[in-house]
Amino acid sequence: MALITFSSPMHKDKTVYAVAGSHTQTILDLAKEHHIPIDFGCQEGNCGTCLVKVSSVDGKRRPMGGPLNVREVAALTELGHITKAEIEQMYVDDIPPTQWRLACQMIVRDEDILVEYPSK
Ligand code: FES
């Protein structure tokens, strides 16, 4: 099981267990399940409302996560949180090139992560 810690300057930190390996549960699904108030809109990866910052708990490496999907690439590009070079490198490394993620698109993996919200 992965430990996911949600942190916000406006709320008390909350750490929850995620059932890793489901390959379907998003950060937003997990937040909603535990009543963690991450803003969201479309839930389709289009609006960027659910932008969060994701990092490894130890802070020593980028979280594995999964590579960004097409919708996440488009939204993060529009929001100015990812460059074309970072996108190209992502396809080589097969890991996300940035800590910025869309909570409705990032699938929980078997790793302990810190999710910071709101993103602004
Ligand atoms: Fe719209 Fe996540 S809720 S991009």
Side-chain angles (χ1 to χ4, degrees), residues 28 39-50 75 102-105:
L28 184 59
D39 288 342
F40 62 91
C42 68
Q43 299 185 68
E44 298 285 330
N46 298 319
C47 70
T49 306
C50 65
L102 298 179
C104 72
Q105 298 298 302

Side-chain angles (χ1 to χ4, degrees), residues 4-120:
I4 313 296
T5 300
F6 291 93
S7 179
S8 167
M10 299 187 304
H11 302 281
K12 189 176 175 195
D13 288 5
K14 188 169 186 178
T15 300
V16 301
Y17 285 104
V19 179
S22 72
H23 303 293
T24 58
Q25 189 173 39
T26 66
I27 296 292
L28 184 59
D29 292 337
L30 193 62
K32 288 162 65 177
E33 185 181 317
H34 292 279
H35 309 289
I36 294 161
I38 293 179
D39 288 342
F40 62 91
C42 68
Q43 299 185 68
E44 298 285 330
N46 298 319
C47 70
T49 306
C50 65
L51 185 69
V52 293
K53 192 173 184 183
V54 179
S55 54
S56 291
V57 170
D58 64 11
K60 292 182 179 166
R61 60 177 174 75
R62 288 188 306 211
M64 294 181 294
L68 310 180
N69 66 29
V70 174
R71 287 173 291 199
E72 224 175 349
V73 167
L76 293 177
T77 299
E78 189 169 321
L79 293 168
H81 287 303
I82 189 171
T83 65
K84 196 170 188 139
E86 289 173 322
I87 295 166
E88 289 170 6
Q89 191 62 45
M90 171 183 73
Y91 292 119
V92 174
D93 297 342
D94 203 29
I95 57 173
T98 175
Q99 292 183 314
W100 297 105
R101 299 299 302 261
L102 298 179
C104 72
Q105 298 298 302
M106 182 177 173
I107 303 292
V108 175
R109 296 276 182 102
D110 190 16
E111 62 181 332
D112 297 344
I113 56 173
L114 173 68
V115 178
E116 296 173 76
Y117 72 98
S119 54
K120 297 174 185 171

